[in-house]
Structure formats: C-alpha cells, structure tokens
Amino acid sequence: MNPEQEYFEHLAAGRFMIQRSRSTGGHVFYPRMAEPGTGATDLEWVEASGRGTVYSTTTIRQKPPTPHYNLALIDLEEGPRMMSRVDGIAPEEVRIGMAVTARVVREGDQSLVVFVPA
C-alpha cells in the first residue's frame, strides 16, 4: 500500500496520522516513502498532536450565496507544514500566529483535516 493511501485510510477511521523516521525522529508530511533531507526510509505512522500555528492565510471570496472560506498553511507542532483551513470563525478573522487544533471532518465521501482556534 502506498503512503498516501494509508494516510487517507487513517483519516477515514477518524485519525490524524503523520509519519516519523525511527532513526532521525523527524516528522514527515505529506506522506512519502523517504524523509526529505535525510532519505531515511524507516518511516512509521504516529498520531499527530493536532496542535499547530497559522503560518499564513488568505480569504477565498466566492460569488454569493456561496460563503467565503480561508486557505491556511499550518505549522504542526511536530515540525511539518500543511495546507488546510481554519473553521469556527469568519475567514477574515484567521490570523498569522494563531494557535489552532486539528479536527478530522467528513465532507461528502472524503475525510480531511481542518483546524479550529485553540
């Protein structure tokens, strides 16, 4: 099974998992076969803490009646950065440096990770 497929299976089960190298301790996101920078291939799945900080954000404005939403880069506590969105507040209220917490949500037939203010 490829790493991306495993990641989505974890999400479907309601778990936010990321990879960690057994030898270097470095965390990896987006799922892959080897750790960037070191090439370590001894990656294992570990549960992410879910804690993060907004690195950048932008508001995607849509034609009414479709609501606006934000697109954010989140620095995970473990080190990797991921793209997601922050729910639970107006898109314009999301701020760089804001502490956030991950949630696994189901939208249609897909599970994904979104964040809410911590």
Side-chain angles (χ1 to χ4, degrees), residues 92-114:
E92 300 82 6
E93 293 177 17
V94 178
R95 297 286 177 251
I96 292 171
M98 175 183 282
V100 291
T101 304
R103 299 279 183 267
V104 177
V105 299
R106 187 125 184 112
E107 292 187 354
D109 62 350
Q110 184 179 7
S111 295
L112 55 123
V113 176
V114 300

Side-chain angles (χ1 to χ4, degrees), residues 12-35:
R15 296 186 309 267
F16 178 26
M17 306 288 282
I18 59 176
Q19 294 172 298
R20 178 181 60 201
S21 166
R22 289 182 188 95
S23 60
T24 70
H27 289 85
V28 175
F29 187 85
Y30 196 78
R32 57 194 75 212
M33 299 297 292
E35 181 183 17

Side-chain angles (χ1 to χ4, degrees), residues 60-63 65-69:
I60 309 298
R61 300 186 188 283
Q62 306 238 40
K63 184 176 179 180
T66 307
H68 301 332
Y69 66 95

